mmCIF file with all atom_site columns, all heavy atoms in Angstrom:
data_model
loop_
_atom_site.group_PDB
_atom_site.id
_atom_site.type_symbol
_atom_site.label_atom_id
_atom_site.label_alt_id
_atom_site.label_comp_id
_atom_site.label_asym_id
_atom_site.label_entity_id
_atom_site.label_seq_id
_atom_site.pdbx_PDB_ins_code
_atom_site.Cartn_x
_atom_site.Cartn_y
_atom_site.Cartn_z
_atom_site.occupancy
_atom_site.B_iso_or_equiv
_atom_site.pdbx_formal_charge
_atom_site.auth_seq_id
_atom_site.auth_comp_id
_atom_site.auth_asym_id
_atom_site.auth_atom_id
_atom_site.pdbx_PDB_model_num
ATOM 1  N N   . ALA O 1 126 ? -148.806 54.923 25.792 1.00 79.00 ? 126 ALA O N   1
ATOM 2  C CA  . ALA O 1 126 ? -148.728 56.266 26.266 1.00 79.00 ? 126 ALA O CA  1
ATOM 3  C C   . ALA O 1 126 ? -148.323 56.244 27.771 1.00 79.00 ? 126 ALA O C   1
ATOM 4  O O   . ALA O 1 126 ? -147.473 57.005 28.214 1.00 79.00 ? 126 ALA O O   1
ATOM 5  C CB  . ALA O 1 126 ? -150.071 56.981 26.156 1.00 79.00 ? 126 ALA O CB  1
ATOM 6  N N   . ILE O 1 127 ? -148.862 55.285 28.510 1.00 79.00 ? 127 ILE O N   1
ATOM 7  C CA  . ILE O 1 127 ? -148.522 55.178 29.952 1.00 79.00 ? 127 ILE O CA  1
ATOM 8  C C   . ILE O 1 127 ? -147.011 54.849 30.115 1.00 79.00 ? 127 ILE O C   1
ATOM 9  O O   . ILE O 1 127 ? -146.352 55.404 30.942 1.00 79.00 ? 127 ILE O O   1
ATOM 10 C CB  . ILE O 1 127 ? -149.402 54.112 30.636 1.00 79.00 ? 127 ILE O CB  1
ATOM 11 C CG1 . ILE O 1 127 ? -150.840 54.701 30.730 1.00 79.00 ? 127 ILE O CG1 1
ATOM 12 C CG2 . ILE O 1 127 ? -148.849 53.745 31.992 1.00 79.00 ? 127 ILE O CG2 1
ATOM 13 C CD1 . ILE O 1 127 ? -151.801 53.597 31.180 1.00 79.00 ? 127 ILE O CD1 1
ATOM 14 N N   . ARG O 1 128 ? -146.547 53.945 29.215 1.00 77.00 ? 128 ARG O N   1
ATOM 15 C CA  . ARG O 1 128 ? -145.155 53.571 29.267 1.00 77.00 ? 128 ARG O CA  1
ATOM 16 C C   . ARG O 1 128 ? -144.289 54.765 28.937 1.00 77.00 ? 128 ARG O C   1
ATOM 17 O O   . ARG O 1 128 ? -143.273 55.050 29.565 1.00 77.00 ? 128 ARG O O   1
ATOM 18 C CB  . ARG O 1 128 ? -144.899 52.451 28.342 1.00 77.00 ? 128 ARG O CB  1
ATOM 19 C CG  . ARG O 1 128 ? -143.474 51.828 28.561 1.00 77.00 ? 128 ARG O CG  1
ATOM 20 C CD  . ARG O 1 128 ? -143.227 50.693 27.600 1.00 77.00 ? 128 ARG O CD  1
ATOM 21 N NE  . ARG O 1 128 ? -143.480 51.129 26.280 1.00 77.00 ? 128 ARG O NE  1
ATOM 22 C CZ  . ARG O 1 128 ? -143.799 50.325 25.313 1.00 77.00 ? 128 ARG O CZ  1
ATOM 23 N NH1 . ARG O 1 128 ? -143.972 49.058 25.482 1.00 77.00 ? 128 ARG O NH1 1
ATOM 24 N NH2 . ARG O 1 128 ? -144.013 50.797 24.047 1.00 77.00 ? 128 ARG O NH2 1
ATOM 25 N N   . LYS O 1 129 ? -144.628 55.556 27.952 1.00 81.00 ? 129 LYS O N   1
ATOM 26 C CA  . LYS O 1 129 ? -143.821 56.703 27.567 1.00 81.00 ? 129 LYS O CA  1
ATOM 27 C C   . LYS O 1 129 ? -143.831 57.777 28.710 1.00 81.00 ? 129 LYS O C   1
ATOM 28 O O   . LYS O 1 129 ? -142.832 58.360 29.006 1.00 81.00 ? 129 LYS O O   1
ATOM 29 C CB  . LYS O 1 129 ? -144.366 57.371 26.280 1.00 81.00 ? 129 LYS O CB  1
ATOM 30 C CG  . LYS O 1 129 ? -144.066 56.549 25.048 1.00 81.00 ? 129 LYS O CG  1
ATOM 31 C CD  . LYS O 1 129 ? -144.647 57.235 23.789 1.00 81.00 ? 129 LYS O CD  1
ATOM 32 C CE  . LYS O 1 129 ? -144.377 56.426 22.563 1.00 81.00 ? 129 LYS O CE  1
ATOM 33 N NZ  . LYS O 1 129 ? -144.963 56.980 21.368 1.00 81.00 ? 129 LYS O NZ  1
ATOM 34 N N   . VAL O 1 130 ? -145.003 57.962 29.374 1.00 84.00 ? 130 VAL O N   1
ATOM 35 C CA  . VAL O 1 130 ? -145.083 58.903 30.482 1.00 84.00 ? 130 VAL O CA  1
ATOM 36 C C   . VAL O 1 130 ? -144.239 58.385 31.606 1.00 84.00 ? 130 VAL O C   1
ATOM 37 O O   . VAL O 1 130 ? -143.543 59.204 32.218 1.00 84.00 ? 130 VAL O O   1
ATOM 38 C CB  . VAL O 1 130 ? -146.578 59.091 30.870 1.00 84.00 ? 130 VAL O CB  1
ATOM 39 C CG1 . VAL O 1 130 ? -146.683 59.847 32.193 1.00 84.00 ? 130 VAL O CG1 1
ATOM 40 C CG2 . VAL O 1 130 ? -147.383 59.845 29.819 1.00 84.00 ? 130 VAL O CG2 1
ATOM 41 N N   . SER O 1 131 ? -144.268 57.110 31.916 1.00 84.00 ? 131 SER O N   1
ATOM 42 C CA  . SER O 1 131 ? -143.459 56.601 33.038 1.00 84.00 ? 131 SER O CA  1
ATOM 43 C C   . SER O 1 131 ? -142.008 56.754 32.774 1.00 84.00 ? 131 SER O C   1
ATOM 44 O O   . SER O 1 131 ? -141.152 57.106 33.629 1.00 84.00 ? 131 SER O O   1
ATOM 45 C CB  . SER O 1 131 ? -143.789 55.176 33.373 1.00 84.00 ? 131 SER O CB  1
ATOM 46 O OG  . SER O 1 131 ? -143.391 54.340 32.266 1.00 84.00 ? 131 SER O OG  1
#
Side-chain angles (χ1 to χ4, degrees):
I127 291 172
R128 190 179 54 207
K129 287 180 184 177
V130 168
S131 68

